[in-house]
C-alpha cells in the first residue's frame, strides 16, 4: 500500500512515516516516483511503535525490538525495566496525589498548623521531593 493509504489508515502524517523510515523503524518496499510503498504488515509494525511510545520507550529502544525484516524481536528485559520505571512513577504520583488530597481536606484551622503539610513543605524546600522525583527507578535483573 502506498504512503498515503498508510497515513490514512493509521492517522500518522506522511512526514512521520518518512521520519520512521529514516530512523530505521520501518522500511518501504520501493519508492515509485515520489511515493513510498509498504507491505501490509506495516500497520502491525506501526501499532507496535505506537504501543512502545505509549509505554515511554524511545524510538531507539523500539527500533531495537525489530529484526531487519521488520518482525518483532521483543527485548523482555527492556520491557521489565520499563515496567519497573512505570511502577516507580505511579508510586511517586500516588504519593503526590495523596499529599494534595490531604492538603485540600486537612482539618487543621490553617495549613501552617498541619503537621503533614509542614512535612510536605519541608521536603519541598529541602529538594527531597525533586530528588525523589528524578531518582532513577531500580532495575530488575
Amino acid at each position: 500500500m502506498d504512503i498515503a493509504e498508510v497515513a490514512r489508515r493509521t492517522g500518522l502524517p506522511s512526514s512521520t512515516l518518512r521520519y520512521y523510515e529514516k530512523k530505521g523503524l520501518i522500511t518501504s518496499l520501493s519508492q515509485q516516483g515520489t511515493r513510498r510503498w509498504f507491505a501490509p504488515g506495516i500497520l502491525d509494525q506501526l501499532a507496535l511503535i505506537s504501543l512502545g511510545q505509549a509505554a515511554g520507550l524511545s524510538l531507539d529502544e523500539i527500533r531495537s525490538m525489530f529484526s531487519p525484516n521488520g518482525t518483532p524481536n521483543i527485548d523482555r528485559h527492556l520491557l521489565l525495566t520499563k515496567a519497573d520505571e512505570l511502577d516507580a512513577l505511579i508510586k511517586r504520583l500516588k504519593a503526590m496525589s495523596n499529599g494534595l488530597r490531604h492538603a485540600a481536606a486537612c482539618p487543621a484551622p490553617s495549613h501552617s498548623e498541619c503537621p503533614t503539610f509542614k512535612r510536605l513543605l519541608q521536603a519541598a524546600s529541602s529538594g527531597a521531593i525533586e530528588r525523589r522525583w528524578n531518582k532513577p527507578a531500580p532495575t530488575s535483573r
Side-chain angles (χ1 to χ4, degrees):
M1 86 184 73
D2 79 345
I3 193 169
E5 178 67 11
V6 174
R8 186 187 69 71
R9 291 181 65 179
T10 63
L12 293 171
S14 297
S15 59
T16 298
L17 298 171
R18 286 189 295 274
Y19 179 73
Y20 286 172
E21 186 175 20
K22 181 179 175 186
K23 293 283 288 177
L25 289 157
I26 61 175
T27 30
S28 59
L29 299 173
S30 66
Q31 294 180 15
Q32 294 180 345
T34 59
R35 291 212 181 257
R36 286 172 170 80
W37 290 83
F38 297 95
I42 191 68
L43 300 177
D44 290 338
Q45 216 172 333
L46 291 167
L48 187 58
I49 292 168
S50 178
L51 181 62
Q53 287 180 307
L57 296 172
S58 71
L59 291 179
D60 288 336
E61 289 170 325
I62 295 167
R63 184 181 62 238
S64 73
M65 289 199 222
F66 287 114
S67 63
N69 67 356
T71 58
N73 184 18
I74 306 299
D75 180 341
R76 293 171 191 265
H77 176 72
L78 177 62
L79 295 183
L80 288 173
T81 299
K82 185 54 72 174
D84 288 344
E85 290 172 9
L86 289 172
D87 288 343
L89 176 59
I90 290 166
K91 185 177 178 180
R92 290 190 301 265
L93 290 172
K94 185 64 178 167
M96 184 60 67
S97 174
N98 289 341
L100 292 172
R101 289 184 189 287
H102 175 81
C106 181
S110 79
H111 286 99
S112 62
E113 297 175 48
C114 172
T116 302
F117 190 72
K118 283 181 178 182
R119 283 193 303 275
L120 284 171
L121 287 179
Q122 185 178 11
S125 68
S126 72
I129 291 175
E130 185 64 26
R131 282 192 302 276
R132 195 174 313 143
W133 186 261
N134 292 323
K135 185 171 85 173
T139 58
S140 61
R141 294 198 181 218

